[in-house]
Structures are given as structure tokens and as C-alpha cells.
Amino acid sequence: MPVVDLAQTGLRALNAALHGQGPGTNETLWEVLNPRGGHAVAVAVNAPIMVEIKGSVGYYCAGMNREAIVTVHGSAGPGVAENMMSGEVRVKGDASQYAGATGKGGLLVIEGNASSRCGISMKGIDIVVRGSIGHMSAFMAQAGHLVVCGDAGDALGDSIYEAKLFVRGSVKSLGADCIEKPMRSEHLAAVQALLDRAGITDAKAAEFKRYGSARNLYNFSVDHADAYG
């Protein structure tokens, strides 16, 4: 198992080594020590490997991830798993702003809380947050699932497209064109499957409410002009 100590090895060298891994690599488990809040740790990994980061990280950890399973044994700064394509990213602590932004696929699990704009412009990623999320989360979210076991801040799902949002706790306010929708059997199944994948056993799908697009902002209508401001 390769072990990289960022107190001794530069971040560029770590990322270069990770980028050098391919589908047939024998080095499938990597351990990163002393990340010390460094930015862009384990970005753009494009191989089916596991990366265990032993500590907290700064901006853009695991951005553009493809296939890899990246675990942060600490908290993450802004933009964790931004533009993620596939694989899995798990944050054992809290995540700062815009976690999972523009993500196109894969699974992001945040075991603590997430700050504002979680899942902004998500395009197919699945995000599960064990705690709560901040304001403007899922802004312009296009596709994928956001499952929140705690509460949601102001303007949840503002200008949302077709992403599906599920919140177990309270929602401070809904954004423009976001409404509560009925939980049907397929939604219960989807939420439970994501909770199971995330390893969350103390929450059940039936405890969640579903939110999504009212589809009033898809085309301009003078009747809804006040919602465009």
C-alpha cells in the first residue's frame, strides 16, 4: 500500500502519482498523511482505486473524481467533489460551501454538516448529508438526488430543474419554483437505497419529504415575472 506523507512529499507529486494509475493497477489502496488543510488533494483521479486521506483538507478535494473511492478522515473546505463524474467521495467530518457542485455522477457522502450551496448546479450526482445543509443548496440543480438527514437553510432548490431533493428535518424556506411534492413508492425506494449506500442506519426513507421543480420558470411568463428578480 503506497503511503504518501504530505509533510515530506509535495502535493504535485501525490497528484501526479495518482494520475498515473490506470484500470489494471496493483496499487489500489493509497494512504495520504498530514494533508494539513491542503488544497486540491487527490483531484482528477481516473482509476478504480481507494484513497484514504488522514486529516482535513482545503479547497476542491477530489474534484473531477472518476471511479476512485476517496475518503477524507476529517473535514473538507469549499468545493469538495466539484464536477465529480463517478466513484465515491466520503467526508467523515463537515464540508464547506458548494460541496458536490456541478457533479455529473457518483456518490458524495458527508457524515457531518454541509455549508451553503451544497449541490449547486448538480447534473446527476447523488449527495447524502447526515447532518444539515446551508442556504441556497441545490440552486439550479439539474439532475441527481440530494438526501439530507438534518435541516435545510433558506432558498432550498432555488431555480431548480429536475433534481430530486429529500429532507428529513425542517426547511427554512424554499427557493423560486421549488415546491414540496408527494413521496411515491419509487422515491421511497431511491432514498432508502442511497441511505443504505451511505451506511446511514438511523434514518428511514418514510421520514423524508420530497421537493422539486414546479416547472413555472422553464419558459418566461409574465404571470411569474416577480419570480425572476
Side-chain angles (χ1 to χ4, degrees):
M1 176 182 70
V3 178
V4 179
D5 188 341
L6 290 180
Q8 301 176 1
T9 301
L11 180 59
R12 287 178 181 269
L14 167 66
N15 284 334
L18 294 175
H19 295 166
Q21 305 308 303
T25 180
N26 292 322
E27 297 178 324
T28 56
L29 176 59
W30 291 68
E31 188 175 76
V32 180
L33 306 179
N34 294 310
R36 298 175 297 174
H39 305 317
V41 178
V43 295
V45 181
N46 187 17
I49 62 176
M50 297 177 64
V51 183
E52 300 281 333
I53 303 171
K54 302 293 187 173
S56 296
V57 293
Y59 285 78
Y60 305 122
C61 177
M64 298 178 289
N65 186 67
R66 192 191 299 264
E67 295 193 69
I69 298 175
V70 180
T71 302
V72 178
H73 294 268
S75 295
V80 63
E82 184 181 53
N83 204 31
M84 180 177 174
M85 305 299 289
S86 61
E88 179 180 319
V89 176
R90 182 178 294 265
V91 180
K92 293 288 189 177
D94 298 323
S96 190
Q97 301 178 81
Y98 41 91
T102 71
K104 296 178 175 61
L107 174 66
L108 169 61
V109 179
I110 300 167
E111 296 189 3
N113 300 306
S115 187
S116 59
R117 299 175 178 84
C118 179
I120 184 173
S121 193
M122 51 193 282
K123 297 176 173 65
I125 189 175
D126 291 325
I127 303 174
V128 180
V129 181
R130 188 183 187 94
S132 298
I133 58 175
H135 67 271
M136 292 294 290
S137 289
F139 171 65
M140 295 188 71
Q142 297 173 34
H145 301 82
L146 173 60
V147 178
V148 182
C149 297
D151 303 323
D154 277 319
L156 175 70
D158 189 83
S159 304
I160 191 174
Y161 289 84
E162 291 302 313
K164 297 177 176 63
L165 316 180
F166 304 92
V167 182
R168 184 189 186 197
S170 64
V171 175
K172 191 167 185 180
S173 69
L174 295 174
D177 211 40
C178 186
I179 60 173
E180 184 177 347
K181 292 189 168 188
M183 284 282 282
R184 298 194 296 268
S185 58
E186 64 267 30
H187 305 125
L188 291 167
V191 171
Q192 194 59 57
L194 286 169
L195 291 171
D196 291 344
R197 286 182 64 193
I200 296 174
T201 59
D202 56 352
K204 301 300 179 186
E207 300 168 346
F208 289 77
K209 292 181 179 179
R210 174 188 168 219
Y211 303 90
S213 176
R215 303 190 176 101
N216 289 325
L217 297 184
Y218 277 22
N219 300 288
F220 179 81
S221 169
V222 69
D223 294 331
H224 304 111
D226 58 344
Y228 294 84

